[in-house]
Amino acid sequence: MIHPNLPYDYDALEPYVSERTMRLHHDKHHRGYVEKLNKLIEGTPYAELPLEEVISKARGEAKIGILNNALQAWNHEFLWESMAASGETSPDGRIKDMIEKSFGDVATFKQQFRSAAASFFGSGWVWLVQDGDDLRILTTGNADSPVGTDLTPLLVLDVWEHAYYLDYQNERARYIDAFLNKLINWKFAAANLYSPDVRKVA
Ligand code: FE
């Protein structure tokens, strides 16, 4: 498994996420999961598989060490794409329509996401997922992730302390607000949508 580069410069998300945090988060934490995974799968049939197949095989075989590190590798890759430099932060088109259908309006979606992220206890992830024709907010603990389930992840926020502690210390709510108002890559979220009708026919 390779440790992918960030899709932007380390300082691209400043002042909301510092270069120092991004270097630590990407170069140490994310890389650490990839390296641990590679050690665990070396010389096994897992070593030949793409990451998403490693995840589904490890789930099926209850290989918890492989599964947790593979999920963290996948979740972090998805996290980098979920954020973008400020200025691309309003949903439009189909994803905006779906947010309005599922949550009422964008402000209510943000309020519900903020509340889920702020009240989540411990380390984990807060997701916007597509569930058929609906969008939902989902929280998962530790490495857990909707990847490979019936829910389709659209975007994610990392609420492990390593994601925000250097910049925000214990003020998780300020980090959540920066994500919601300045960092979400709505183009990425929209590109992850699928059409339930098309999937049924296929
Ligand atoms: Fe992280």
Side-chain angles (χ1 to χ4, degrees):
M1 230 50 70
I2 58 150
H3 177 227
N5 291 330
L6 285 177
Y8 33 69
D9 291 336
Y10 286 94
D11 64 358
L13 306 184
E14 290 203 350
Y16 309 110
V17 181
S18 67
E19 177 175 350
R20 191 169 163 235
T21 289
M22 290 303 287
R23 287 194 183 278
L24 186 73
H25 199 174
H26 176 267
D27 293 1
K28 304 292 184 193
H29 291 275
H30 184 185
R31 185 192 302 279
Y33 295 120
V34 175
E35 287 179 350
K36 271 180 225 150
L37 174 63
N38 285 338
K39 238 177 231 170
L40 289 168
I41 66 178
E42 196 182 347
T44 77
Y46 284 93
E48 311 302 320
L49 300 176
L51 184 56
E52 294 191 6
E53 288 179 33
V54 168
I55 288 168
S56 71
K57 185 174 166 70
R59 266 205 188 107
E61 297 178 345
K63 300 276 191 191
I64 300 305
I66 292 174
L67 178 61
N68 282 338
N69 285 289
L71 286 172
Q72 285 295 76
W74 192 93
N75 291 348
H76 281 92
E77 203 170 330
F78 198 80
L79 171 70
W80 311 136
E81 299 285 353
S82 294
M83 300 186 286
S86 57
E88 299 180 46
T89 53
S90 296
D92 56 18
R94 181 169 166 232
I95 194 162
K96 181 166 185 268
D97 294 344
M98 289 184 75
I99 284 173
E100 287 171 352
K101 177 175 170 281
S102 295
F103 300 100
D105 54 34
V106 174
T108 305
F109 154 72
K110 286 185 179 180
Q111 185 255 316
Q112 290 184 16
F113 192 102
R114 179 186 299 114
S115 167
S119 63
F120 185 79
F121 188 82
S123 296
W125 302 85
V126 185
W127 307 82
L128 177 65
V129 298
Q130 182 176 359
D131 182 4
D133 289 322
D134 291 318
L135 302 187
R136 282 170 44 192
I137 293 161
L138 178 78
T139 55
T140 59
N142 298 313
D144 203 11
S145 171
V147 65
T149 74
D150 289 343
L151 301 173
T152 299
L154 303 181
L155 59 86
V156 74
L157 175 66
D158 186 345
V159 292
W160 286 59
E161 280 191 344
H162 68 225
Y164 64 87
Y165 204 84
L166 285 178
D167 296 332
Y168 297 94
Q169 289 80 52
N170 61 320
E171 296 181 64
R172 189 192 275 183
R174 286 203 300 125
Y175 161 69
I176 298 163
D177 281 338
F179 175 76
L180 287 169
N181 296 319
K182 304 293 183 183
L183 294 175
I184 290 178
N185 184 347
W186 284 110
K187 284 185 192 139
F188 174 71
N192 290 320
L193 289 172
Y194 69 92
S195 296
D197 296 342
V198 171
R199 187 179 262 191
K200 262 181 230 153
V201 172

